[in-house]
Amino acid sequence: MEANYLKYLLEFKRPSGTSRGVLLDKETFILEIAENGKKE
């Protein structure tokens, strides 16, 4: 089994208000898991 992650930046079309302030973008990660050449 093999796991990889990709860093991805979400850029909002409009500012998004939260209890901690206003977000214009959000860093997130995508997890990719593969076993025997098959990705899940």
Side-chain angles (χ1 to χ4, degrees), residues 12 14-25:
F12 299 124
R14 295 184 302 249
S16 179
T18 70
S19 62
R20 296 183 179 174
V22 176
L23 296 176
L24 301 174
D25 54 28

Side-chain angles (χ1 to χ4, degrees), residues 7-12 18 20 23-29:
K7 184 173 152 181
Y8 190 77
L9 183 65
L10 299 172
E11 296 179 8
F12 299 124
T18 70
R20 296 183 179 174
L23 296 176
L24 301 174
D25 54 28
K26 174 77 168 132
E27 183 179 63
T28 189
F29 295 89

